[in-house]
Amino acid sequence: EAQVTQNPRYLITVTGKKLTVTCSQNMNHEYMSWYRQDPGLGLRQIYYSMNVEVTDKGDVPEGYKVSRKEKRNFPLILESPSPNQTSLYFCASRNGQGGQPQHFGDGTRLSIL
Amino acid sequence: GENVEQHPSTLSVQEGDSAVIKCTYSDSASNYFPWYKQELGKGPQLIIDIRSNVGEKKDQRIAVTLNKTAKHFSLHITETQPEDSAVYFCAASRGAAGNKLTFGGGTRVLVKP
């Protein structure tokens, strides 16, 4: 089954404790992206990657890091999480060919205390 | 950058009635406009999309219209059913690839039996 898998689905942690949210897709997609969803603001793009070793900032990259060492994986790293990063996070992937829609994972709810 | 506004933020309709959600965008270069449906605990799922060379697109009970001059697009759901209850997001993107999506704030639709 074609899917985007995020782990963990839920995490409660404390300020300053480094964390990583993993994202894996099994569709051989070139493009991957991370979004955060906050009430009334829709989804805002954090980082995206056009292919292996190619990443770029989205609209809200501050406080986040990403890496793309393999085509299927695109982890989101919070080096020193803060309470304002409490949010619902989504990973998405898309075939690199023009006109293909993004497929989203089921989300990771992070609570930073 | 692009800014997408979505209205209304909540919409309650009687089963069988129609629902309309409207979005406006700011970047005249945007040419790809997808609509996503998000059910509780799930990631957004693409339900329909439209490109700027088309004014209207329909898929069964769902239709989307685009007015490039006025820079707005709308989602129309006819004969609503309880399973249409969800949060709906519009988005806009430059380029055929839809890499950088800018989302509206979302509309929570409740279909009352």
Side-chain angles (χ1 to χ4, degrees):
Chain A
E1 180 189 350
Q3 58 186 5
V4 178
T5 303
Q6 298 178 224
N7 280 296
R9 293 291 313 278
Y10 305 91
L11 179 64
I12 301 174
T13 187
V14 296
T15 298
K17 186 177 181 182
K18 181 179 178 180
L19 68 92
T20 300
V21 184
T22 63
C23 174
S24 180
Q25 50 94 3
N26 63 359
M27 297 167 278
N28 201 36
H29 285 168
E30 289 85 2
Y31 173 89
M32 298 184 75
S33 182
W34 276 104
Y35 295 85
R36 61 177 288 174
Q37 182 179 356
D38 300 290
L41 298 178
L43 286 86
R44 293 178 292 166
Q45 192 177 49
I46 303 170
Y47 269 95
Y48 65 96
S49 169
M50 300 292 287
N51 214 323
V52 176
E53 302 291 1
V54 181
T55 63
D56 208 348
K57 296 177 181 179
D59 294 322
V60 288
E62 296 78 18
Y64 304 95
K65 285 176 57 176
V66 293
S67 69
R68 187 90 183 274
K69 294 183 171 55
E70 306 165 281
K71 197 172 187 180
R72 64 181 291 128
N73 296 323
F74 190 45
L76 179 70
I77 303 156
L78 285 71
E79 294 270 3
S80 183
S82 62
N84 64 9
Q85 292 177 298
T86 293
S87 187
L88 180 58
Y89 291 84
F90 288 99
C91 179
S93 73
R94 191 183 66 76
N95 189 306
Q97 301 302 314
Q100 299 302 311
Q102 294 191 29
H103 298 267
F104 285 81
D106 284 337
T108 295
R109 185 167 292 281
L110 288 183
S111 293
I112 317 293
L113 305 178
Chain B
E2 174 69 277
N3 182 52
V4 177
E5 294 195 359
Q6 183 173 344
H7 297 281
S9 57
T10 59
L11 180 60
S12 182
V13 297
Q14 206 64 39
E15 182 178 358
D17 288 349
S18 295
V20 181
I21 304 170
K22 299 182 178 181
C23 290
T24 60
Y25 61 99
S26 61
D27 186 352
S28 56
S30 289
N31 58 7
Y32 174 64
F33 307 93
W35 285 88
Y36 285 85
K37 176 183 181 182
Q38 185 180 24
E39 296 176 338
L40 198 62
K42 297 288 188 181
Q45 299 288 315
L46 180 77
I47 54 172
I48 195 168
D49 57 11
I50 191 168
R51 301 183 194 282
S52 58
N53 58 348
V54 174
E56 183 173 357
K57 184 176 179 181
K58 191 173 181 180
D59 182 4
Q60 299 182 355
R61 296 186 296 108
I62 293 173
V64 57
T65 58
L66 171 65
N67 183 326
K68 285 175 56 181
T69 304
K71 290 191 282 189
H72 67 69
F73 56 114
S74 300
L75 178 72
H76 303 253
I77 307 173
T78 59
E79 300 172 23
T80 53
Q81 300 167 5
E83 53 263 37
D84 294 327
S85 296
V87 179
Y88 292 80
F89 291 98
C90 62
S93 172
R94 283 185 171 203
N99 283 334
K100 190 178 186 312
L101 291 175
T102 300
F103 283 82
T107 298
R108 183 174 299 278
V109 174
L110 174 63
V111 179
K112 295 179 288 186

